[in-house]
């Protein structure tokens, strides 16, 4: 029979936070040059509207190397006037199979309102 006090106890078998994950050590120095930081700025975004922003990294053959997206809302308290700006810094870990120089990569961003017609 299960006791109610046992339901609140955290055990290795009942809690994902307590579980242990065994991974191989990572040599940060080896991968330090494989990090790419992208600063995104989207101007003139209406306040209180959901905006989806995507950042896509292409190689010189126009193949997608990495991508990331996020959804955000600009609150009126963070700016004045009718519109504001979205500013975000994204860090990408480039795959090992990229043979070209990171300065030859192409970065594109796209942004769109999720619900453009709502007031």
């Amino acid at each position: 029979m299960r006791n109610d006090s046992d339901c609140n106890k955290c055990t290795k078998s009942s809690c994902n936070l307590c579980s242990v994950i065994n991974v191989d050590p990572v040599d940060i120095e080896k991968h330090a040059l494989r990090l790419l930081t992208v600063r995104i700025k989207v101007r003139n975004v209406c306040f209180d509207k959901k905006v989806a922003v995507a950042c896509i990294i292409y190689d010189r053959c126009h193949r997608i190397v990495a991508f990331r997206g996020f959804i955000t809302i600009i609150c009126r308290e963070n700016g004045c006037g009718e519109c504001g700006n979205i500013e975000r810094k994204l860090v990408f870990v480039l795959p090992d199979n990229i043979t070209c120089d990171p300065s030859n990569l192409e970065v594109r961003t796209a942004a769109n309102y999720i619900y453009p017609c709502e007031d």
Side-chain angles (χ1 to χ4, degrees):
M1 182 172 200
R2 191 170 180 170
N3 189 348
D4 285 338
S5 62
D6 291 339
C7 292
N8 297 329
K9 289 184 182 178
C10 179
T11 63
K12 275 192 171 183
S13 62
S14 69
C15 179
N16 289 334
L17 295 175
C18 295
S19 63
V20 176
I21 300 172
N22 294 322
V23 295
D24 294 331
V26 176
D27 184 7
I28 296 297
E29 289 181 11
K30 176 183 170 189
H31 296 286
L33 296 176
R34 307 300 298 179
L35 296 177
L36 177 67
T37 301
V38 177
R39 287 181 173 80
I40 296 173
K41 185 169 188 175
V42 182
R43 295 184 176 99
N44 299 325
V45 177
C46 294
F47 291 118
D48 301 322
K49 295 231 182 211
K50 281 188 179 181
V51 178
V53 180
C55 180
I56 307 166
I57 313 290
Y58 294 94
D59 65 6
R60 60 182 161 202
C61 296
H62 300 288
R63 292 178 297 215
I64 295 175
V65 173
F67 63 91
R68 183 163 304 149
F70 60 91
I71 296 173
T72 187
I73 296 175
I74 299 179
C75 299
R76 286 195 187 275
E77 354 175 296
N78 297 338
C80 57
E82 295 295 318
C83 300
N85 297 327
I86 297 171
E87 294 184 37
R88 184 81 54 101
K89 180 175 79 168
L90 300 176
V91 178
F92 293 89
V93 178
L94 298 177
D96 288 335
N97 62 355
I98 299 299
T99 57
C100 65
D101 183 17
S103 63
N104 291 333
L105 296 174
E106 185 177 340
V107 178
R108 295 183 188 176
T109 58
N112 205 355
Y113 293 109
I114 294 180
Y115 305 109
C117 297
E118 288 186 357
D119 290 327

